[in-house]
Amino acid sequence: MKLSELYLGFNDGITEATEEKFTDYFYDHNKMIEKVLKKNIWLVLGRKGTGKSLLGRYLEEIKDNWNDFSILLSYQDFRLNKLVPLKSGDESPNQYIQIWKWLLLIEISRLLLQSNELMEEQDYYRLGAFFNKNFGDLQIDKNKILEITKNGKIKGEVGLAGLKIGGEIGKDIKYIEANYSEYLYDLEETVSRLLKKTKLNYLIMLDGLDHRFKRVNDYQDMATGIIYAAKYYNNFFSKNRIKTKILVFMRSDIFNWLNDPDLNKVKLDNTYEINWGEDTTFESPLFDLIIKKVKTSIPNDKICDLERGKMLNILFPSDEKMTNPEYILTKTLLRPRDLITFLNLAKKYYPKETAFTPIVIRAVTNKYSEYFHGEFRNELSGHLKQKKIDKSFDFISKFARTEFNLQDALDFNVANYSDTERLDLRDIFSTLFDFSILGNSYFEQVENKVIRRWAHLEYNFGISKIEFDISIIVHPGLYSFLKLSKDKP
């Protein structure tokens, strides 16, 4: 076996899902497929790189008994700012619920029309006529739907109780144009009647909502709106025993930043959060993911016949200077993206090697650290302005310590930066702690060992706070890129 023979996946889940037979390589960590498809679960949280998008693509692909019709809607290129003119007159954060309800109904309508199951129903005909009159092709782009909606010229007919989507068979209809909100009630009723009659299962998944994230009030209300719109329809489906589900994928840091008291109930009752534990030994489930990919890559290699421990010891040998799994995992945020990137770098630069040896791993650490720094920059984007992100990393690099106390950092700030360039270190360090760029360290006398606190291990973004009266530490994955000595000064 050579490293070049192994397929370990890609840094990005969407890219990995384009590969043929990607489902064969999928690792069902913690039986998350079963848990996500539970009746009460409709929100999936996880830090960037934990596998949310790949999970969504897997669910879309397998089309098992639960979801006869499924679709993963990526909102990476969706122009969220275009929602602003479409918000209702409701108070913050509820003014975007109405437009999200409309967009969700349009997506459900698409699936109903594509299934052709209820073609004999008048509501199916009405829905098809309404969609064709306003949006045309069923494959229409989401941004085009939004643009048509924004124009305020949705075509329908006048009914006794208000505007209707129209389209009754055999009826000569005189269409008028009006705002989307005028048709929301009748569209909802029409879709509901069809869903109550269908024998199929529908799964609508929303992903990529974080792509254009900005830490501003409108984005906060938009994100809250999609959650409450999904909650409204999922509760309706559940109450009426309709086998339809809207599944929302969202980054944990964004969800926990949202500011509405009822969201805590959603997190407790309706959420599955992807995490990969705290273990930095071979017991980490991340190594089970690697084993799954190795065995699928080279099923006939004799290494696949070995029991788990022996297989890992061969793949990841240690030496007297380095315990291989701990060295690797402590430089990650314990998520698949980091580990896969680390190992793919080893494959790329040492394809003829037969194992991820300490020499190989150390040799690609610089490249990995560069990637890791880039990941943090991307994740901070939207929370901090780019200039402040750059200045924060510049400070850590120039300060050149992996462990320090706040006062030393404050003194360095005063001595090396002018009044106009000086950073608000308490504020900056608090944000960097939220993303595990910084952590805390202290000696626990009862356990007689050093304890390190990282936000990504406490799963409480925005709740778990940095402590300024104990040592502050820099994440080891950044040492190489920021040119920091790993020894405490």
Side-chain angles (χ1 to χ4, degrees), residues 72-80 83 100 103-104 107 110 142-143 146 204-212 226:
L72 176 66
L73 300 167
S74 175
Y75 283 81
Q76 275 200 352
D77 298 318
F78 191 70
R79 303 184 188 99
L80 288 171
L83 292 176
W100 277 119
L103 294 174
L104 288 173
E107 295 300 342
R110 272 208 257 209
K142 294 186 293 299
N143 280 309
L146 186 60
I204 300 95
M205 296 172 284
L206 285 69
D207 189 28
L209 294 161
D210 59 321
H211 188 63
R212 297 175 184 268
I226 185 61

Side-chain angles (χ1 to χ4, degrees), residues 271-454:
T271 299
Y272 177 77
E273 187 156 13
I274 303 174
N275 74 69
W276 293 79
E278 303 179 19
D279 208 310
T280 56
T281 70
F282 280 144
E283 296 305 310
S284 169
L286 289 167
F287 284 108
D288 292 307
L289 178 149
I290 299 301
I291 288 173
K292 174 67 181 288
K293 292 179 182 294
V294 169
K295 286 186 174 182
T296 308
S297 299
I298 49 171
N300 298 320
D301 194 285
K302 61 183 180 181
I303 194 174
C304 297
D305 297 327
L306 300 175
E307 57 92 11
R308 184 182 185 278
K310 290 181 179 178
M311 183 178 181
L312 289 173
N313 282 323
I314 290 173
L315 283 171
F316 300 93
S318 298
D319 62 18
E320 66 279 1
K321 295 181 179 179
M322 174 179 138
T323 303
N324 210 334
E326 186 174 2
Y327 179 90
I328 296 172
L329 292 187
T330 54
K331 294 185 182 302
T332 73
L333 293 177
L334 295 177
R335 58 187 185 180
R337 176 172 294 179
D338 299 336
L339 180 57
I340 294 299
T341 299
F342 217 141
L343 301 185
N344 275 338
L345 285 168
K347 273 183 56 186
K348 177 181 179 180
Y349 290 102
Y350 297 91
K352 295 181 180 180
E353 292 292 327
T354 58
F356 298 100
T357 65
I359 292 174
V360 169
I361 292 299
R362 281 193 289 260
V364 297
T365 294
N366 288 347
K367 288 288 184 182
Y368 169 79
S369 188
E370 180 181 351
Y371 143 82
F372 200 55
H373 169 259
E375 281 291 293
F376 277 134
R377 280 174 55 85
N378 291 339
E379 206 166 346
L380 284 168
S381 179
H383 290 279
L384 294 177
K385 292 182 178 179
Q386 201 59 54
K387 185 177 180 181
K388 187 172 283 189
I389 294 173
D390 293 338
K391 289 177 68 175
S392 300
F393 281 115
D394 179 71
F395 179 90
I396 296 172
S397 182
K398 288 180 178 177
F399 191 38
R401 296 192 186 185
T402 62
E403 184 171 350
F404 54 90
N405 60 58
L406 177 63
Q407 189 57 54
D408 286 344
L410 292 171
D411 292 343
F412 184 86
N413 197 26
V414 171
N416 292 274
Y417 292 86
S418 66
D419 291 344
T420 56
E421 292 294 313
R422 203 166 292 151
L423 293 169
D424 180 349
L425 291 185
R426 288 180 180 273
D427 181 59
I428 291 293
F429 285 176
S430 293
T431 301
L432 299 186
F433 179 86
D434 286 340
F435 290 87
S436 292
I437 295 166
L438 297 180
N440 278 133
S441 176
Y442 63 94
F443 184 77
E444 174 55 63
Q445 293 185 342
V446 175
E447 297 183 32
N448 194 35
K449 67 177 183 180
V450 174
I451 303 295
R452 294 177 177 83
R453 294 181 59 236
W454 298 106

